[in-house]
């Protein structure tokens, strides 16, 4: 099994429409990547406002490069993206 990385993305204010418009392409990209172990949006007042992903990658640079290809990144949805090594302990 490859190393795991947590990806924490926070959306820019006012980018909900861009997120919703790009959602189908984002999900297709995630599902087609073969890297995603777990993924889902952060919610604020019931609306998505960011994302948490647990992914497999060879190393930190590979994880960061992969995240940069996310359709949400191309649609300028994210205000910040943090990628760090992560280890599953429970679950």
């Amino acid at each position: 099994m490859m190393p795991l990385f947590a990806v924490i993305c926070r959306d820019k204010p006012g980018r909900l429409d861009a997120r919703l418009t790009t959602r189908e392409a984002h999900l297709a990209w995630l599902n087609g990547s073969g890297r995603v172990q777990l993924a889902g949006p952060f919610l604020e007042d019931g609306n998505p406002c960011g994302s948490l992903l647990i992914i497999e990658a060879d190393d930190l640079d590979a994880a960061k490069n992969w995240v940069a290809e996310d359709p949400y990144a191309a649609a300028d949805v994210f205000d910040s993206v943090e990628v760090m090594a992560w280890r599953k302990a429970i679950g």
Side-chain angles (χ1 to χ4, degrees), residues 33 45 47-48 65-66 72 91:
S33 73
D45 298 324
N47 292 313
N65 290 336
W66 177 82
Y72 281 168

Side-chain angles (χ1 to χ4, degrees), residues 11-50:
D11 293 359
K12 289 182 178 179
R15 297 302 290 161
L16 179 59
D17 286 342
R19 174 183 266 274
L20 297 176
T21 301
T22 312
R23 184 174 186 268
E24 188 174 317
H26 166 75
L27 293 176
W29 177 75
L30 291 178
N31 286 320
S33 73
R35 293 186 181 272
V36 180
Q37 298 297 303
L38 180 75
F42 294 119
L43 301 175
E44 187 174 273
D45 298 324
N47 292 313
C49 61

Side-chain angles (χ1 to χ4, degrees), residues 7-16 18-19 22-23 26-27 29-30 40-42 48-53 64 66-83:
V7 180
I8 300 168
C9 306
R10 300 194 190 283
D11 293 359
K12 289 182 178 179
R15 297 302 290 161
L16 179 59
R19 174 183 266 274
T22 312
R23 184 174 186 268
H26 166 75
L27 293 176
W29 177 75
L30 291 178
F42 294 119
C49 61
S51 302
L52 170 66
L53 300 98
K64 288 179 178 181
W66 177 82
V67 171
E69 297 174 5
D70 188 329
Y72 281 168
D76 198 32
V77 170
F78 299 138
D79 189 36
S80 67
V81 176
E82 186 175 5
V83 182

